[in-house]
């Protein structure tokens, strides 16, 4: 019986990855299609990708697959062919190759079965996720940005929007996609006659969101094909103006791809222009926030003096302090502030796409 789960420590796996000499290619992809037996699909795929030295995070559900992964560059063509032949729905699957890639995005393969490939909170059984809005290619996106009757809607979380977004895009200020869906419907009620253009990182959220908007009575609904990653790639290839400003947040070790030179965010500690996301190094916190180099030095890569003090304690005393704390969504939110946000143990952040 083949091993279908990792059995090596994360520390050793990361060291192995960093010692690799061959460059890796980081890609993301998704596909909505029916998988009758997600567990069997998962096990067979795990075995196939392990043989190709693939690292990453992949979610499988009855509704499809959602993946972010890296593969040795020389094995990328073989990985493509493996996926294309793995299931008829995956033939000629569109893969979003990372724009700003150092090949150090993942060091282990985690392939999990989930209820949904993106948690959406939808319980309406009459909802048909296949009834999506119209795709927009790069040139069409730019044309829509110049159309006064078009409303661009960012279907990413608030911390993603903060470091980069399309010109004049509307933010749906929530920490999760499941919270954004009903919020988007409410916020756009008075714009039902407009052209609603939805976008996200790689397409998976905005595609489902476009179907949800149509389900709720919006008629002119579009979404950016392949999300920000595909838009930026095609716009550059075609010599078009890239109208996305700032960084594209990504859910791996890089935490961001530079799309334009614009820095539109600010350090959460001192307010200086900065768009670098980090995690607080205090093991009792790990808050995701934006920190400039000066504050990283001043606060020793922590989010607050409280975390600095706690991180300096002996490990056993740190564990004693953490005991009994409640978990929370460990993302900086201006309404909570840094100090209050450090007082709970982090719930693990999961990739959206």
């Amino acid at each position: 019986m083949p091993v279908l789960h990792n059995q090596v420590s994360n520390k050793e796996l990361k060291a192995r990855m960093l010692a690799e000499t061959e460059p890796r290619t980081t890609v993301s992809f998704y596909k909505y299609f029916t998988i009758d037996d997600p567990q069997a699909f998962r096990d067979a795929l795990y075995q196939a990708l392990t043989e190709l030295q693939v690292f990453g995070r992949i979610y499988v559900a009855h509704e499809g697959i959602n993946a972010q992964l890296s593969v040795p560059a020389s094995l990328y063509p073989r990985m493509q062919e493996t996926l294309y032949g793995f299931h008829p729905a995956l033939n000629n699957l569109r893969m979003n190759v990372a724009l700003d890639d150092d090949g150090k995005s993942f060091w282990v393969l985690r392939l999990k079965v989930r209820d949904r490939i993106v948690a959406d909170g939808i319980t309406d059984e009459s909802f048909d996720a296949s009834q999506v809005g119209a795709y927009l290619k790069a040139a069409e996106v730019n044309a829509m940005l110049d159309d006064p009757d078009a409303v661009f809607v960012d279907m990413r979380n608030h911390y993603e929007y903060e470091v980069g977004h399309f010109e004049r895009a509307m933010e749906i200020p929530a920490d999760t996609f499941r919270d954004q869906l009903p919020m988007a419907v409410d916020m756009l009620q008075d714009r039902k006659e407009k052209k609603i253009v939805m976008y996200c990182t790689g397409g998976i959220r905005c595609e489902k969101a476009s179907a949800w908007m149509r389900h709720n009575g919006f008629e002119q609904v579009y979404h950016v094909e392949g999300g920000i990653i595909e838009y930026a790639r095609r716009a550059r290839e075609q010599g078009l103006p890239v109208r996305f400003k700032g960084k594209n947040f990504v859910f791996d070790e890089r935490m961001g791809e530079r799309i334009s030179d614009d820095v539109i965010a600010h350090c959460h500690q001192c307010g200086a222009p900065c768009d670098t996301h980090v995690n607080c190094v205090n093991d009792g916190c790990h808050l995701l926030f934006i920190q400039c180099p000066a504050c990283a030095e001043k606060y020793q890569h922590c989010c607050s003096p409280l975390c600095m003090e706690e991180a300096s304690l002996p490990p056993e005393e740190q564990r004693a302090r953490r005991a009994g704390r409640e978990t929370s969504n460990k993302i900086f939110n201006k309404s909570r502030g840094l100090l209050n946000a450090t007082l709970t143990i982090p719930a693990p952040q999961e990739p959206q796409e």
Side-chain angles (χ1 to χ4, degrees):
M1 181 70 181
V3 176
L4 299 177
H5 297 274
N6 170 58
Q7 296 182 316
V8 182
S9 72
N10 280 335
K11 184 177 180 179
E12 181 177 344
L13 288 168
K14 188 171 184 178
R16 290 180 187 178
M17 180 272 291
L18 292 173
E20 289 182 350
T21 56
E22 181 179 356
R24 283 180 165 267
T25 300
T26 300
V27 299
S28 61
F29 60 85
Y30 72 93
K31 183 74 174 182
Y32 288 107
F33 67 104
T34 300
I35 300 177
D36 293 327
D37 188 342
Q39 187 63 52
F41 185 100
R42 178 264 175 213
D43 291 347
L45 185 60
Y46 185 93
Q47 194 168 351
L49 295 182
T50 298
E51 292 173 1
L52 296 173
Q53 302 171 49
V54 170
F55 301 154
R57 286 183 293 237
I58 305 175
Y59 295 149
V60 172
H62 284 293
E63 68 174 1
I65 185 171
N66 176 20
Q68 303 86 37
L69 53 83
S70 76
V71 61
S74 63
L75 295 177
Y76 180 65
R78 282 181 57 192
M79 186 200 71
Q80 278 188 303
E81 292 305 312
T82 297
L83 288 169
Y84 291 165
F86 195 80
H87 188 284
L90 300 180
N91 187 32
N92 293 320
L93 176 72
R94 184 186 67 241
M95 296 189 189
N96 291 326
V97 178
L99 301 169
D100 183 13
D101 185 17
D102 61 4
K104 308 299 182 184
S105 49
F106 302 101
W107 59 83
V108 64
L109 177 60
R110 303 190 191 283
L111 214 165
K112 300 180 179 181
V113 174
R114 292 290 172 89
D115 291 334
R116 301 284 180 90
I117 55 176
V118 174
D120 54 34
I122 296 173
T123 58
D124 186 343
E125 294 184 0
S126 67
F127 171 62
D128 184 351
S130 69
Q131 298 302 305
V132 300
Y135 285 112
L136 293 177
K137 297 186 181 299
E140 296 168 320
V141 172
N142 284 0
M144 280 287 196
L145 284 164
D146 293 325
D147 186 340
D149 287 326
V151 179
F152 273 66
V153 183
D154 194 314
M155 291 307 298
R156 300 172 304 149
N157 304 326
H158 73 85
Y159 56 91
E160 300 173 77
Y161 179 94
E162 184 175 8
V163 295
H165 50 259
F166 278 108
E167 299 170 8
R168 68 182 183 86
M170 173 185 291
E171 177 187 8
I172 309 297
D175 287 346
T176 65
F177 182 59
R178 65 166 60 235
D179 291 336
Q180 280 186 317
L181 286 174
M183 194 180 293
V185 172
D186 291 342
M187 290 177 65
L188 291 163
Q189 279 301 317
D190 61 349
R191 306 189 194 191
K192 276 197 169 181
E193 78 287 354
K194 299 285 188 179
K195 300 169 186 174
I196 306 299
V197 181
M198 318 197 88
Y199 72 90
C200 57
T201 306
I204 188 169
R205 286 177 280 180
C206 54
E207 183 165 323
K208 181 173 280 189
S210 72
W212 182 246
M213 299 303 286
R214 293 190 66 201
H215 181 74
N216 281 275
F218 292 81
E219 296 181 358
Q220 298 185 81
V221 184
Y222 305 83
H223 58 109
V224 177
E225 183 176 15
I228 299 161
I229 298 173
E230 182 73 1
Y231 163 80
R233 179 179 304 284
R234 296 303 180 190
R236 290 169 180 171
E237 289 176 355
Q238 297 166 25
L240 302 172
V242 177
R243 306 281 292 274
F244 185 93
K245 301 299 182 185
K247 262 186 179 179
N248 177 32
F249 185 95
V250 291
F251 291 87
D252 59 48
E253 288 294 295
R254 296 169 298 151
M255 291 195 191
E257 296 178 324
R258 174 67 59 193
I259 304 295
S260 80
D261 292 334
D262 305 270
V263 177
I264 65 173
H266 298 86
C267 175
H268 289 157
Q269 290 173 312
C270 72
C274 180
D275 57 9
T276 301
H277 274 103
V278 298
N279 287 108
C280 177
V281 298
N282 178 17
D283 286 335
C285 179
H286 290 171
L287 180 80
L288 178 68
F289 70 111
I290 296 173
Q291 186 178 55
C292 70
C295 286
E297 182 176 358
K298 178 180 178 180
Y299 292 101
Q300 300 174 26
H301 302 281
C302 290
C303 66
S304 68
L306 177 64
C307 277
M308 280 179 62
E309 186 267 334
E310 186 168 287
S312 68
L313 297 172
E316 57 274 13
E317 190 169 343
Q318 290 185 43
R319 287 192 290 269
R321 284 197 178 195
R322 295 197 297 268
R325 289 181 184 168
E326 296 180 359
T327 59
S328 73
N329 200 6
K330 296 301 299 181
I331 302 165
F332 174 79
N333 186 307
K334 292 177 181 177
S335 67
R336 293 196 297 266
L338 281 171
L339 182 59
N340 290 334
T342 64
L343 299 179
T344 51
I345 295 174
Q349 297 305 310
E350 296 189 348
Q352 300 288 332
E353 49 195 323

